[in-house]
């Protein structure tokens, strides 16, 4: 129940390693809750993350993030810029 902060993040465990090069973040019915700034990290073990594979700024409720192909089990999406709105992801798609 708080506003977006640059310490907020979502982590996804895909249960097995997958190869992918795109994410879509859809805030759906909460049209203003998209990330104003984000960084995407990937990890094989959920502990070691390294540098972001992509970073950018959302401009509407559907944010598409494209990057070079990655193979990983875990994905972390971290806020790098925030406003007083909530941050929500109604649907997250991992694509190749």
């Amino acid at each position: 129940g708080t506003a977006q902060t640059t310490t907020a993040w979502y982590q996804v465990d895909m249960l097995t390693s997958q190869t992918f090069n795109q994410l879509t973040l859809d805030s759906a019915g909460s049209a203003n809750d998209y990330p104003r700034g984000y960084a995407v990290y990937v990890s094989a073990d959920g502990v070691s993350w390294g540098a972001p594979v992509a970073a950018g700024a959302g401009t509407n409720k559907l944010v598409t993030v494209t990057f070079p192909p990655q193979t990983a089990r875990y994905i972390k999406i971290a806020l790098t810029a925030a406003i007083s709105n909530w941050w929500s992801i109604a649907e997250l798609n991992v694509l190749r």
Side-chain angles (χ1 to χ4, degrees), residues 2-83:
T2 62
Q4 295 182 24
T5 67
T6 56
T7 59
W9 50 270
Y10 283 101
Q11 182 175 318
V12 177
D13 179 352
M14 298 187 292
L15 303 179
T16 62
S17 289
Q18 305 290 326
T19 300
F20 53 94
N21 67 350
Q22 188 177 74
L23 302 176
T24 60
L25 313 172
D26 189 349
S27 61
S30 301
N32 292 317
D33 293 355
Y34 59 89
R36 294 328 193 257
Y38 61 83
V40 176
Y41 299 85
V42 298
S43 173
D45 61 10
V47 176
S48 301
W49 293 95
V53 297
T59 58
N60 60 52
K61 70 177 189 167
L62 182 60
V63 177
T64 300
V65 184
T66 304
F67 41 83
Q70 304 292 314
T71 300
R73 174 177 170 172
Y74 298 89
I75 301 169
K76 184 186 291 186
I77 305 150
L79 282 182
T80 59
I83 62 168

